[in-house]
Amino acid sequence: MSRVKLTEYRAKSLILGGEYTGVSLSSSSDTVPEGAWVVKVDQGIKKRMKQGLVKVNISSKEIGPAIAEWEKKGFSNFIAEPLLPHEASEEQYLSLERVREGIRLLHAKEGGIEIEEHPEKVRSFILTESVAGTAKETGVPEEFLTSLVDTFEKNHFAFLEINPLVIKDGKVHLLDAAVLVDSAAEFFVKGAWTETDIVEGKAKHQAEENVAALQKTTPASLKLSVLNEEGSLFFLLSGGGGSIVIADEAALLGQGDAIGNYGEYSGGPTREETYLYTKEVLSLLLASKAPKKALVIAGGVANFTDVAKTFAGIRDALAEVSGEMKKARIKVFIRRGGPNEAKGLADMKIFLDQEGLLGAIHGSSAVITSAVDDAVTFIQA
C-alpha cells in the first residue's frame, strides 16, 4: 500500500466531472479546437513552470511544436486547457490531506508558485461532517467544498492540492491540481481511476523502460532507476534491504552524487534474465563520461537466488563489452553470498582476471559494504 500520483487530467476529471474542459494529449500530432490554451507536461512533475514544462496563452497551432520539444526530452503525457484570464491577486491555495484526526484542509488567500516560501499565510482546518464553517472562513463556496470532500473520500484520495485555485463570479476554477491516491484502492473505485492514470515523477530513461518491460515477464524482482547518467559508481545490487545499505554507504562516504543507478535483481532470476538486466546497467556504465568508473556487484546473503547461475548471466553480459570496459579502465568490485556462493565467486574471479577487470571479490564472510568501500577508494585514487 503506497501513495501514487494520478495524472492532472484524471484528477480534474474526477473533481469537476462534465464541467471539465481540458484535453489529454499523448502526441504532438494530436489536435485541439482553435483558441487560447495552456499546455503542460502531465507526468507528475513538480515546479513545471520553473522547468519550462508549461506553455501559457498559445494557439492551437503552437501546441504541436511545444509538445514535440518536450517529446525530445522523453515526456509522453500532456494536457491542454482553455486559458482563464485572471489577475495574480485572484490566485488561492487549497489542499486536503488524510491525517490521523480526519481530513486536514490547508488554505491561503494567496496562491501560486511561491506559496512554499510563505507558510505563515496558510491556515489549517480539520474538517468535520459539515464544511459550512470552513467554507465561510476560507471564502471557498460551500457547494464546491462539499463536493470536493465527497470526491476525496469516494475515490480514496490520500492528498489533493489545488494551486492556484481561482474563484470568479462564484465559480471555482482549478488551474493546477495534484492528487495522490492509495494504490491499494484501485479495486474499490470501480474504474474511476486505474493503473493507466498513475504517472511517474519523471520521464523514464530507455534503460528503465527496458527493465520495466522485462519485469512484466518474470516472477523475479528486477528494478532500475537512473540517478546520474554521468556517474562513477554503477550498481548490480541484490535484495532490497542490502541494496539500500550499500547505496547508503556510498552516500556516507561522500559519493552520493557519483551513484549512476539504483535498483535490484533478486527473487531467483534466471541466467538469461540476469544477463538482460546486466546489459542495461552496463549500457549506462559505458555511456557515462566520468573519468574513472567502477561496477559494484553486491548484496546480502541470498536465501534461494543461485549465486553461480546469476553470476553466469552477469559474465555473459560482461563478455560482450569487456574490451570497452578495459579500455575505459573500469574495475569490478564484488561482495555476494548465498547458494553456490563459492563456485559463483571463483568463476567470476577467473573471468575478471582474464579480462583485466578485477577490482576485488568478497564472499559472505566480509561485511556487506566491502565492495562499495573498495570501489569508492578506487574512483577517488
Side-chain angles (χ1 to χ4, degrees):
M1 184 172 66
S2 61
R3 291 182 171 188
V4 292
K5 181 173 283 190
L6 296 183
T7 64
E8 183 178 359
Y9 176 81
R10 178 55 56 202
K12 288 182 175 177
S13 296
L14 291 171
I15 296 167
L16 298 174
E19 295 183 11
Y20 183 49
T21 56
V23 180
S24 178
L25 307 173
S26 59
S27 168
S28 55
S29 62
D30 292 342
T31 60
V32 300
E34 292 185 8
W37 295 86
V38 176
V39 183
K40 300 174 274 188
V41 170
D42 190 10
Q43 287 181 233
I45 309 295
K46 292 184 177 181
K47 304 184 188 304
R48 287 175 295 183
M49 183 69 77
K50 292 183 177 181
Q51 297 185 61
L53 302 179
V54 178
K55 301 287 186 180
V56 179
N57 196 15
I58 64 175
S59 68
S60 56
K61 293 180 180 179
E62 295 174 296
I63 291 176
I67 289 178
E69 175 187 329
W70 293 328
E71 286 177 324
K72 291 178 182 178
K73 298 180 181 180
F75 296 105
S76 58
N77 292 324
F78 315 96
I79 184 174
E81 297 174 329
L83 177 71
L84 176 72
H86 67 282
E87 300 296 328
S89 59
E90 296 177 276
E91 296 183 350
Q92 302 182 39
Y93 174 88
L94 178 68
S95 72
L96 300 178
E97 183 171 15
R98 202 176 297 280
V99 295
R100 185 183 299 274
E101 297 81 8
I103 295 177
R104 180 177 62 201
L105 181 148
L106 300 181
H107 177 261
K109 289 289 187 182
E110 299 176 24
I113 61 176
E114 307 299 336
I115 185 61
E116 293 180 1
E117 299 176 14
H118 300 284
E120 73 282 356
K121 296 182 179 180
V122 179
R123 299 179 66 190
S124 177
F125 306 85
I126 297 296
L127 298 181
T128 60
E129 292 184 6
S130 171
V131 300
T134 305
K136 185 175 181 180
E137 289 274 353
T138 60
V140 178
E142 182 180 347
E143 183 179 357
F144 170 78
L145 198 53
T146 300
S147 174
L148 188 66
V149 173
D150 180 62
T151 300
F152 189 93
E153 293 279 35
K154 183 169 63 177
N155 293 286
H156 292 263
F157 288 4
F159 176 76
L160 160 66
E161 182 179 64
I162 303 171
N163 183 36
L165 174 148
V166 172
I167 302 173
K168 294 178 73 71
D169 301 321
K171 186 175 180 180
V172 178
H173 302 270
L174 284 56
L175 301 194
D176 197 355
V179 165
L180 298 178
V181 295
D182 184 338
S183 62
E186 184 177 351
F187 173 80
F188 300 101
V189 298
K190 303 184 185 305
W193 56 263
T194 68
E195 185 178 343
T196 59
D197 298 309
I198 296 172
V199 295
E200 299 289 338
K202 63 184 180 68
K204 277 194 172 183
H205 190 282
Q206 186 59 54
E208 294 172 324
E209 292 189 353
N210 293 345
V211 170
L214 180 60
Q215 171 67 85
K216 294 178 180 178
T217 68
T218 174
S221 179
L222 303 171
K223 297 181 175 65
L224 177 67
S225 294
V226 179
L227 303 180
N228 178 8
E229 292 185 68
E230 306 303 337
S232 300
L233 292 171
F234 287 83
F235 291 146
L236 280 170
L237 303 178
S238 303
S243 300
I244 294 171
V245 171
I246 294 159
D248 280 352
E249 175 74 0
L252 290 171
L253 294 173
Q255 296 301 308
D257 291 340
I259 299 175
N261 71 295
Y262 181 74
E264 66 169 295
Y265 70 97
S266 60
T270 65
R271 177 173 180 168
E272 175 70 9
E273 289 164 350
T274 310
Y275 158 74
L276 293 172
Y277 179 83
T278 302
K279 282 187 65 173
E280 298 300 334
V281 175
L282 294 180
S283 70
L284 297 170
L285 169 67
L286 290 169
S288 170
K289 295 181 177 62
K292 204 167 186 181
K293 297 178 286 187
L295 175 65
V296 176
I297 304 172
V301 178
N303 292 318
F304 59 89
T305 296
D306 189 315
V307 174
K309 181 172 67 177
T310 52
F311 273 16
I314 292 173
R315 288 198 307 277
D316 292 341
L318 286 170
E320 295 180 349
V321 295
S322 61
E324 294 177 66
M325 291 178 65
K326 185 176 181 179
K327 185 177 180 180
R329 295 178 296 170
I330 297 169
K331 295 296 182 182
V332 180
F333 299 86
I334 298 173
R335 190 278 184 182
R336 191 68 168 113
N340 284 324
E341 167 189 341
K343 175 174 172 51
L345 293 174
D347 290 346
M348 189 65 84
K349 185 177 188 304
I350 293 171
F351 171 81
L352 294 175
D353 261 335
Q354 290 175 340
E355 301 298 325
L357 302 175
L358 180 62
I361 290 185
H362 304 277
S364 56
S365 61
V367 297
I368 192 171
T369 57
S370 298
V372 70
D373 290 341
D374 291 340
V376 168
T377 300
F378 169 73
I379 64 171
Q380 289 181 319

